[in-house]
Amino acid sequence: MKVTGYAYPWDVVDDPGFVERVRELGVDEVAVAVSYHSARAATPWSPERTSVVARHAALYRPVRDEAWGELKPAEPDWVESRDSAGDAVRALNEAGIPAAAWLVLTHNSLLGTEFPDFTVRNCFGERYPWALCPGQPEVREYAANVTAESLAGLDFATVVLEACGPLGAVHQHQHEKTDGVWSPAVARLLSICCCDACLDAWAAAGQDPAKALGKLRAEVRRLIDSGDLRATEDKILPTLRQVLLDTRQKATDALRRDVLAKIPSGPRIVLHGAMDPWVTGALPGLTPSAPDDVDAVVLQNWVPGHPSVGAVATARAKLPEKVAVGSYITAVAASPVPDIEAYTTELGKAGATELHLYHLGLAGPGRWADLIAAVSAAQELV
């Protein structure tokens, strides 16, 4: 299995031992966060601090005013260099370690708060400031510009696309107090965007937007009032369901198309995604045409067990043979994977040919053995 390890720019440039430690680990490439959302990131290898507080989403390359339209990313003032991602990539290249550009596209709470009209709006009219809507032309232009500016002047072996599609209701927002409240069905319906651009798309498909909104709200209210946390939405809204999905997928395809147009030939294209087309978030549901555009699809397999292994097997069976299936696993979960070596082997046998390993900076001395075990298992798979 090809192994990609993920890292933040400061993990690479601020830690003199990073390159040698990663070389000894034996990953095939390091994915550096070039465009990333807000985070409080632990720094267990640093003798001087315990975390980096990235207060807002930012681009870790120089932000040139002339490169942007109405939406422009912020620069991070918690790193010393205006080009910390570039510095990290160049350091990896000089050490003979291939680098991947890790780009987070539609997840930006800072821009979503400043420009609410460009965010996902649910059927109750509530805005999700963390979620820029791909149905908005300005959002697609922004994502394309992020891609172009992230890659400019650097040598990347791979481009990893995260949040290349819609985000929805389920999100770790400030002190999250919705966990466990909504059934999966409610969360999915609350993740359907009802912004003006999406409503226009519904109308173009022959739906009355006002009536459609009324149906959505009534169905959400019915599911909430039922108190059934196991309810599914599979059989609801039969006349509207396909229009909603088609609208979402057309916007996602347009976003991906604009982003890919900014990537020069050469790097592999890796897309974080899910086989379920209704999934929103950092790994949004694949559209029918997505596999034609990429070299690999990476599934989130952070929770070990049958669902994750089964998802890999399903992806391998349904995706074209030319598209690699990657498994995204974590060595820094609150509850460690009991046997990460065996789990990696299971994923490989189910059809994964790439291991995406989270996280080379967050996993400190106490978790480094798990990384070693996962990489060792991946290298033994044929």
Side-chain angles (χ1 to χ4, degrees):
M1 297 174 78
K2 178 184 178 68
V3 181
T4 300
Y6 288 64
Y8 302 128
W10 52 84
D11 295 324
V12 182
V13 298
D14 293 349
D15 179 1
F18 180 88
V19 167
E20 188 57 34
R21 188 166 58 249
V22 168
R23 184 185 283 119
E24 291 177 359
L25 181 62
V27 299
D28 295 294
E29 65 182 4
V30 174
V32 177
V34 185
S35 170
Y36 203 69
H37 52 73
S38 59
R40 177 171 174 251
T43 55
W45 293 101
S46 173
E48 300 175 352
R49 61 184 178 187
T50 63
S51 66
V52 168
V53 178
R55 299 186 312 282
H56 52 73
L59 179 67
Y60 292 87
R61 302 295 316 277
V63 177
R64 304 179 305 120
D65 288 341
E66 63 271 21
W68 303 94
E70 188 168 4
L71 296 178
K72 182 178 78 170
E75 290 192 80
D77 61 9
W78 49 87
V79 291
E80 293 184 4
S81 170
R82 291 189 70 221
D83 192 15
S84 58
D87 295 340
V89 170
R90 286 184 284 268
L92 292 169
N93 290 163
E94 290 172 6
I97 300 174
W102 178 14
L103 308 182
V104 176
L105 298 175
T106 61
H107 184 181
N108 192 316
S109 299
L110 184 68
L111 288 179
T113 300
E114 186 176 355
F115 299 95
D117 287 347
F118 298 141
T119 60
V120 170
R121 181 177 69 200
N122 72 20
C123 58
F124 290 92
E126 298 164 315
R127 293 284 184 177
Y128 298 152
W130 56 85
L132 301 177
C133 177
Q136 300 279 354
E138 294 85 354
V139 171
R140 299 196 294 270
E141 179 188 27
Y142 162 77
N145 289 337
V146 165
T147 304
E149 292 297 291
S150 294
L151 304 182
L154 296 178
D155 184 14
F156 289 106
T158 302
V159 177
V160 179
L161 302 177
E162 177 178 323
C164 190
L167 277 80
V170 179
H171 178 72
Q172 190 176 353
H173 180 64
Q174 298 174 349
H175 289 274
E176 188 64 64
K177 299 297 181 183
T178 67
D179 292 343
V181 175
W182 308 134
S183 70
V186 169
R188 288 193 179 209
L189 293 181
L190 288 177
S191 296
I192 293 171
C193 185
C194 306
C195 73
D196 290 345
C198 291
L199 293 183
D200 288 343
W202 298 0
Q207 293 290 327
D208 182 323
K211 289 183 178 179
L213 279 174
K215 290 178 181 179
L216 276 174
R217 284 194 295 265
E219 189 58 32
V220 171
R221 193 67 258 170
R222 183 187 72 78
L223 289 169
I224 291 174
D225 292 343
S226 75
D228 184 359
L229 296 182
R230 295 172 296 178
T232 67
E233 83 292 0
D234 292 344
K235 297 181 180 179
I236 65 173
L237 306 171
T239 61
L240 186 59
R241 184 179 175 84
Q242 194 58 49
V243 171
L244 299 178
L245 183 59
D246 287 346
T247 298
R248 173 181 288 179
Q249 292 188 331
K250 287 178 182 177
T252 299
D253 285 340
L255 174 76
R256 189 179 64 258
R257 186 166 54 246
D258 290 352
V259 165
L260 293 179
K262 298 296 184 178
I263 302 176
S265 60
R268 296 172 66 251
I269 308 300
V270 173
L271 180 65
H272 283 196
M275 296 303 295
D276 183 342
W278 288 95
V279 170
T280 56
L283 294 86
L286 297 180
T287 70
S289 65
D292 297 332
D293 294 340
V294 301
D295 298 295
V297 168
V298 177
L299 310 178
Q300 188 175 59
N301 298 138
W302 285 22
V303 179
H306 174 70
S308 290
V309 175
V312 170
T314 298
R316 183 63 284 161
K318 291 186 175 182
L319 291 173
E321 191 61 33
K322 71 177 185 67
V323 177
V325 175
S327 283
Y328 198 20
I329 69 171
T330 179
V332 295
S335 298
V337 177
D339 188 341
I340 199 169
E341 186 172 5
Y343 181 46
T344 300
T345 300
E346 279 189 279
L347 293 167
K349 289 182 177 178
T353 55
E354 297 190 13
L355 184 70
H356 288 247
L357 200 53
Y358 191 91
H359 181 286
L360 301 180
L362 299 177
R367 295 289 181 92
W368 199 254
D370 279 351
L371 296 186
I372 294 172
V375 173
S376 176
Q379 292 173 339
E380 291 178 5
L381 288 162
V382 177

